[in-house]
Every structure is written in C-alpha cells, then in structure tokens.
C-alpha cells in the first residue's frame, strides 16, 4: 500500500510539473510582460496547479471524500470572517474577469490610438485622449472586479478612510504627483514629443504617466521626472505652441575691418541656407547686429530664425562654417584675443643683468 501511495504521489508530482513548465514558458513569452493582467493570470495559473496538486496528494494519502466535499462547499459557498462573507469562487472569477478586462483595455487603447491617427489631431492631443480613456477604463474594470468579488461598495469607505490616514503620514508626494499628472494631461503644458528642459534634465518627452514624466535626453539616457516638479517648477518648452527658434551667432572681427562688408557677408550666408526663415511676415529676416565692442575686436551677431528647433545644432554648424569661409575668402581676418604685456624699466634692467651673467658663465 505504501509503495502504491508513493508511486501515485510521484505521478502527481510529474503531472504538476508537466503543467507547471508550459505555463512558465507561456508567461515568459507573454507579449505584455510586467502588466497587471500578466501578474493576475500568472498567479491564477500557478495557484490552480498548486491547489490541484495539494488536493490530489491529500486524497492519495487518505483524506476522506467528505473532506473534498467540505473544501468544495467552502470554495463555492464561502465563509464568514468578522461579519464579512468571503467566497473564494467569486474572488477567482473576479480576478479572471479583471485580467481579461485589463487585457481588453490594453487592446482597445492601442486601437483607439490608431483610430485617432486618422483625424487631424496632433500627437499630444491624441496621447491625452488615449491616456484618459485608459485610466477611466481601468477604474471601471477595478470596480467591476471588486463587485464580482463580493466586496460591498460601502466597505470602500473604510478603505478610503485608511488611505486618508496613509496620505496624512507619508503619501503626500505620491498624491501630489498623481494630481499633477492629471493636470498635465488636461492642461497639456507639455506633450509627448516636446523638447523641454526641467532643472538639469533636457530632452524629448517620451511618456506622461500619472506619477512621472519620462524624458529622453540627448545622451540617450532616460530621466524620470516627478510630475509635481513640472507643475510647481519652471519648465522650458521649445515646442509648446510652435517650433520656431531664434539663433544669435557671435563673430568677432578686428577694429579696422569693413563692418558694412562683414554684415553683408553674414546676411548672405544666412539667406543661402534652406532652413533659415526668409519671407515670413511675422519673423524678422536674417540680419547682422553689432552688440558688443571690446579690446579684442568688434562682435557682430548673426540673427536668424528657424522654423524647426530640432535643426538648431546642425544649422549653427552650417552657418558658422559658411561665415568663416566667406570672411577668409574676402581677406577679412577673424579677431583673436589680445593681451598687452608691459615691462617696467627696473624689470628690463634686471633682465639685462641676468643675460649678461649668463653670457659670462658661458
């Protein structure tokens, strides 16, 4: 009899293993690993295998069938704890339906993004609508899951009271970021794809979530900025209402250079560049301004406007290279930093004596 029980237990373990490895392989290649539906479905699958294995082992080692009936009774009909009726079957069904609803929300939001792309909406507005619909759908799914689990909605007031105590003791920052995220989604001072600067972080907005904003810097590093810092701090947005940007490029020439010719050369280089705005009535055309005169020379600034700020660095390179080529072709030297050295008579006499001593030793 003992040998038979051992063989049966071994068969149960093998069967559980054969069920365990496929589900691990499936969830390892799950398309949305890390999402809430992923964790819910994985927990349900693993608990089902474990519970089935434990019940099979208990029956194998002599648990009466009455015990199995009691387990089924408590699982289907539930039990009462502190006046609260808990039905495990309802909880399992609620978790499965919640996982399916959340999976449906993910699928619907992707479809909604593609659908909104058919209309003349910018990426920021489309992203805001998708995010709002996603969070509303998740909230409704959670309420449905709680209702199916048999939790009375009036019990949520107790949960809210507990959350208020937690907020008072340490969740102020989290709630602040949550509210700030909602403000960002509705007011849209920044949107996905904008070039912004927050503190020392500067780059493109990749994602705006309820808690943080993800910025991809020019070094290809990802910076997670809490939403409260964006709402309460100073934010530079290069692309809020438009992408136009002004460039002021300084060039220092010598004091005796022909300034009129220098200005003509600078403006001509800017006018030849295809990315410099020329004929827009709301924008000042390319111009050369003398804004500084110092001991090194005269500083002439080339002022241009670009339609797309993303081209700023490339256009600066082109304009500087073009101006230098034009100045050198015209024989106009670029001023260098100058420094006057004054030698007093006493210091000059000391230098002569030092040179004389060195000649005598030689």
């Amino acid at each position: 009899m003992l040998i038979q029980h051992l063989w049966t237990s071994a068969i149960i373990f093998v069967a559980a293993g054969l069920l365990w490895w496929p589900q691990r392989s499936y969830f390892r290649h799950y398309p949305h690993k890390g999402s809430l539906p992923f964790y819910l479905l994985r927990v349900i699958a693993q608990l089902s295998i474990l519970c089935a294995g434990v019940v099979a082992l208990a029956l194998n080692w002599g648990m009466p069938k009455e015990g199995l009936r009691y387990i089924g009774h408590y699982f289907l009909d539930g039990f009462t704890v502190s006046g609260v009726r808990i039905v495990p079957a309802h909880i399992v069904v609620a978790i499965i339906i919640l996982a399916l609803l959340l999976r449906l929300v993910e699928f619907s939001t992707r479809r909604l993004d593609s659908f909104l792309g058919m209309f003349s909406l910018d990426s920021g507005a489309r992203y805001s609508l998708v995010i709002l619909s996603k969070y509303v759908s998740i909230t409704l799914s959670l309420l449905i899951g709680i209702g199916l689990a048999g939790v009375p909605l009036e019990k949520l007031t107790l949960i809210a009271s507990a959350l208020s105590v937690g907020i008072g003791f340490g969740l102020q920052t989290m709630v602040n970021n949550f509210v700030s995220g909602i403000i960002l989604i509705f007011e849209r001072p920044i949107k996905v794809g904008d070039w912004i600067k927050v503190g020392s972080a500067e780059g493109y907005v990749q994602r705006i979530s309820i808690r943080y904003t993800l910025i991809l810097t020019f070094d290809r590093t990802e910076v997670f900025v809490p939403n409260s810092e964006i709402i309460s701090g100073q934010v530079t947005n290069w692309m809020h209402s438009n992408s136009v940007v002004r460039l002021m490029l300084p060039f220092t020439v010598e004091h005796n250079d022909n300034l009129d010719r220098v200005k003509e050369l600078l403006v001509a280089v800017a006018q030849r560049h295809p990315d410099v705005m020329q004929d827009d009535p709301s924008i000042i055309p390319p111009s050369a301004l003398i804004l500084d005169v110092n001991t090194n020379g005269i500083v002439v600034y080339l002022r241009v406007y670009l339609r797309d700020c993303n081209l700023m660095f490339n256009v600066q390179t082109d304009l500087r290279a073009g101006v230098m080529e034009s100045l050198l072709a015209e024989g106009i030297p670029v001023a260098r930093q100058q420094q006057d050295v004054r030698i007093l008579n006493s210091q000059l006499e000391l230098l002569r004596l030092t040179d004389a001593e060195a000649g005598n030793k030689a």
Side-chain angles (χ1 to χ4, degrees), residues 51-92:
C51 291
V54 170
V55 171
L57 286 174
L59 290 174
N60 179 52
W61 288 96
M63 185 184 75
K65 294 184 178 180
E66 290 292 329
L68 182 61
R69 190 173 65 182
Y70 277 117
I71 292 175
H73 170 74
Y74 284 116
F75 180 77
L76 296 175
D77 296 336
F79 48 90
T80 303
V81 177
S82 301
V84 178
R85 188 70 177 176
I86 299 176
V87 182
H90 292 175
I91 295 176
V92 172

Side-chain angles (χ1 to χ4, degrees), residues 198-260:
V198 184
S200 60
E202 183 175 4
Y204 294 100
V205 177
Q206 295 292 104
R207 185 188 311 133
I208 302 175
S209 68
I210 287 296
R211 189 177 61 86
Y212 63 84
T213 296
L214 176 61
I215 299 177
L216 180 65
T217 67
F218 301 119
D219 297 328
R220 310 304 294 177
T221 58
E222 295 176 330
V223 180
F224 296 86
V225 180
N227 291 329
S228 57
E229 293 186 11
I230 298 177
I231 292 297
S232 61
Q234 180 176 346
V235 179
T236 302
N237 190 345
W238 297 87
M239 306 170 64
H240 177 58
S241 58
N242 59 69
S243 300
V244 176
V245 65
R246 185 192 70 169
L247 295 182
M248 295 287 288
L249 306 179
F251 299 92
T252 304
V253 297
E254 295 182 350
H255 295 93
N256 57 353
D257 285 335
N258 187 345
L259 295 181
D260 291 335

Side-chain angles (χ1 to χ4, degrees), residues 19-41:
L19 293 174
W20 187 269
W21 289 110
Q23 65 86 24
R24 283 196 62 183
S25 176
Y26 171 77
F27 287 110
R28 187 181 295 115
H29 300 89
Y30 192 76
H32 300 282
K33 187 180 295 184
S35 61
L36 185 56
F38 165 78
Y39 290 112
L40 291 176
L41 292 175

Side-chain angles (χ1 to χ4, degrees), residues 147-164:
L148 291 175
V151 178
L153 294 181
E154 57 269 15
K155 297 293 184 180
L156 294 179
T157 57
L158 299 176
I159 300 176
S161 301
L163 285 176
S164 64

Side-chain angles (χ1 to χ4, degrees), residues 94-156:
I95 293 176
I96 294 175
I97 293 179
L98 178 60
L100 295 177
L101 287 175
L102 293 176
R103 186 70 183 89
L104 180 61
V105 168
E106 293 178 356
F107 176 78
S108 301
T109 51
R110 289 198 304 272
R111 290 292 183 180
L112 179 61
D113 188 29
S114 301
F115 175 73
L116 293 176
M118 300 169 56
F119 300 93
S120 57
L121 292 175
D122 60 79
S123 59
R126 190 169 68 247
Y127 181 82
S128 298
L129 289 175
V130 171
I131 288 295
L132 285 175
S133 62
K134 178 180 179 179
Y135 286 125
V136 170
S137 301
I138 289 176
T139 303
L140 293 176
S141 301
L142 291 175
L143 292 177
I144 292 173
I146 291 173
L148 291 175
V151 178
L153 294 181
E154 57 269 15
K155 297 293 184 180
L156 294 179

